[in-house]
């Protein structure tokens, strides 16, 4: 908006000075510049994986009378806009991390609860899209009074600006962090990248400098596992009481127990229990049992439970030694021993 105002002011100055030819030249240039800016913004929004278009939001609308229907936000083909009964609200709870820790599984388990309304896609509002405006609000699912609105974007936990931005939105937000042994998390992260980039160097080559020399913390797969450092940044804005730390390992071995803790944290009745889960030995993690009236059980997609590449034992031991002091500090900060050492 500031750009268009500045262009308009320039054209007006030229007319008042009486330089007719200069004004005539400046006006088309201003119009062309404005068109170029609009087209550039449109192209960015239309690319897959980009942020939703910036837009200021109106006051929450009352529950509509029309039946629920599917809709999509213009310019963001991969992110559905919820419509139907209720109204859109800012999330009262966020799953903020961590990547390859089990955030997708937790979200799908929680979506079984009738009082949880969660966005299925990752909006990346507080890391990639914050400066673009408030279209993020329009992506939230509609909820009724008494329901909790949630979203999950695992990269928030390692984004330095995210805690300040979330606190600015709502200092009462409840924050859920799913953590996992940082060594196995890093290997899982590498496996995911390798599936998309087959020519990737070996895990050892990326994790260390000069053979088994210093650990390369510049590599994101390693850096994400420095949980104590990331949490220290969050505690500058939120008290520890606003956090729940979920064990990615226990989410596999005891999904009902971990989801029960999350329901308690959110102030929800324990509706999702052990009767909803069964262990899929092929995938190596729990799946959801067939619901009444459903055709088959529900498991996460093919990208979940993929086999890990073989990493030499010496590499694993070296990484374990590296992470040990960070893990112990994290245990002290959270008051939980996750048993990774």
């Amino acid at each position: 908006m500031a750009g268009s105002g500045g262009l308009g002011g320039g054209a007006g100055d030229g007319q008042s000075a009486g330089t007719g030819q200069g004004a005539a030249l400046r006006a088309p240039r201003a119009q062309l510049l404005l068109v170029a800016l609009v087209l550039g913004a449109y192209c960015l929004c239309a690319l897959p994986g980009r942020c939703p278009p910036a837009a200021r939001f109106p006051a929450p609308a009352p529950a509509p009378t029309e039946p629920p229907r599917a809709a999509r936000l213009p310019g963001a083909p991969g992110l559905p806009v919820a419509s139907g009964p209720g109204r859109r609200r800012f999330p009262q709870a966020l799953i903020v991390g961590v990547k390859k820790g089990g955030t997708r599984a937790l979200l799908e388990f929680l979506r079984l609860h009738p009082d949880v309304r969660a966005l299925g896609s990752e909006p990346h509002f507080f890391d990639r899209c914050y400066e673009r405006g408030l279209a993020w609000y329009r992506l939230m699912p509609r909820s009724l009074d008494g329901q909790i609105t949630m979203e999950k974007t695992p990269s928030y936990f390692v984004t330095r600006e995210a805690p300040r931005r979330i606190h600015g939105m709502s200092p009462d937000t409840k924050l859920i962090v799913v953590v996992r042994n940082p060594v196995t998390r890093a290997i899982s992260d590498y496996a995911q990248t390798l599936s998309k980039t087959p020519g990737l160097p070996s895990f050892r080559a990326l994790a260390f400098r000069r053979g088994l020399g210093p650990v390369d913390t510049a590599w994101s797969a390693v850096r994400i596992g420095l949980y104590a450092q990331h949490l220290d940044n969050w505690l500058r804005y939120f008290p520890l009481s606003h956090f729940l730390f979920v064990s990615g390992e226990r989410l596999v071995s005891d999904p009902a127990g971990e989801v029960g803790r999350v329901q308690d944290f959110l102030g929800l009745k324990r509706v999702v229990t052990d009767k909803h889960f069964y262990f899929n030995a092929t995938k190596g993690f729990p799946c959801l049992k067939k619901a009444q009236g459903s055709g088959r059980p529900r498991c996460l997609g093919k990208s979940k439970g993929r086999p890990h590449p073989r990493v030499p034992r010496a590499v694993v031991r070296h990484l374990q030694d590296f992470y040990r002091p960070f893990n112990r500090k994290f245990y002290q900060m959270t008051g939980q021993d996750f048993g990774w050492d």
Side-chain angles (χ1 to χ4, degrees), residues 80-98:
V81 178
S83 61
R87 59 193 178 96
R88 298 187 184 97
R89 315 165 195 260
F90 287 113
Q92 297 103 310
L94 298 171
I95 300 176
V96 298
V98 299

Side-chain angles (χ1 to χ4, degrees), residues 48-338:
R50 297 283 184 175
C51 307
R56 294 289 167 183
F57 57 86
T65 56
E66 71 269 22
R69 63 183 186 280
R72 289 195 177 274
L73 184 67
L79 295 174
V81 178
S83 61
R87 59 193 178 96
R88 298 187 184 97
R89 315 165 195 260
F90 287 113
Q92 297 103 310
L94 298 171
I95 300 176
V96 298
V98 299
K99 180 184 179 185
K100 306 309 294 180
T103 59
R104 169 56 59 184
L106 178 61
L107 184 74
E108 293 305 315
F109 297 163
L110 287 174
R111 291 175 80 181
L112 289 175
H113 201 294
D115 291 333
V116 170
R117 299 288 288 123
L119 185 66
S121 305
E122 295 176 6
H124 286 278
F125 178 76
F126 291 107
D127 54 358
R128 300 180 191 169
C129 309
Y130 184 81
E131 303 297 341
R132 295 282 315 282
L134 294 170
W136 170 78
Y137 173 83
R138 298 173 57 200
L139 297 173
M140 291 300 106
R142 294 182 183 273
S143 61
L144 303 173
D145 290 342
Q147 291 182 319
I148 288 180
T149 301
M150 297 182 64
E151 68 113 316
K152 78 107 177 169
T153 302
S155 53
Y156 289 163
F157 190 61
V158 299
T159 300
R160 186 157 190 83
E161 300 80 12
R164 173 181 56 81
R165 292 168 175 175
I166 294 171
H167 186 271
M169 177 197 76
S170 173
D172 297 323
T173 304
K174 294 185 176 183
L175 305 164
I176 300 171
V177 188
V178 188
V179 289
R180 180 184 182 188
N181 185 316
V183 177
T184 54
R185 196 224 65 81
I187 295 172
S188 179
D189 198 338
Y190 173 77
Q192 181 183 57
T193 307
L194 185 65
S195 70
K196 301 174 183 177
T197 314
L200 206 64
S202 70
F203 180 86
R204 174 177 178 166
L206 293 171
F208 301 97
R209 304 178 192 139
R210 303 186 304 276
L212 279 179
V215 174
D216 191 354
T217 55
W219 186 32
S220 64
V222 168
R223 189 174 64 252
I224 289 172
L226 302 175
Y227 303 141
Q229 289 188 359
H230 303 306
L231 179 58
D232 190 56
N233 181 43
W234 283 84
L235 292 178
R236 295 169 55 199
Y237 298 91
F238 292 93
L240 192 63
S241 60
H242 282 225
F243 290 87
L244 179 70
F245 300 94
V246 175
S247 165
E249 286 83 9
R250 287 197 294 270
L251 200 58
V252 172
S253 64
D254 181 20
E258 285 300 280
V259 174
R261 293 179 60 239
V262 178
Q263 291 172 96
D264 294 344
F265 176 69
L266 296 175
L268 299 171
K269 183 180 178 181
R270 286 201 177 195
V271 171
V272 185
T273 63
D274 55 1
K275 68 181 181 182
H276 291 95
F277 301 99
Y278 77 96
F279 187 80
N280 186 309
T282 302
K283 285 184 170 289
F285 57 76
C287 295
L288 299 173
K289 291 181 180 178
K290 181 175 67 174
Q292 188 173 5
S294 174
R296 58 182 179 179
R298 288 171 48 200
C299 274
L300 298 181
K302 294 179 180 178
S303 64
K304 307 299 180 182
R306 62 166 61 89
H308 288 180
R310 185 179 178 278
V311 177
R313 181 62 190 163
V315 172
V316 173
R317 282 198 303 268
H318 201 53
L319 267 184
Q320 287 173 334
D321 293 340
F322 166 76
Y323 278 121
R324 187 168 291 111
F326 296 100
N327 292 344
R328 289 177 178 172
K329 183 180 178 182
F330 186 64
Y331 298 167
Q332 293 172 355
M333 295 172 75
T334 61
Q336 294 179 236
D337 186 337
F338 291 90

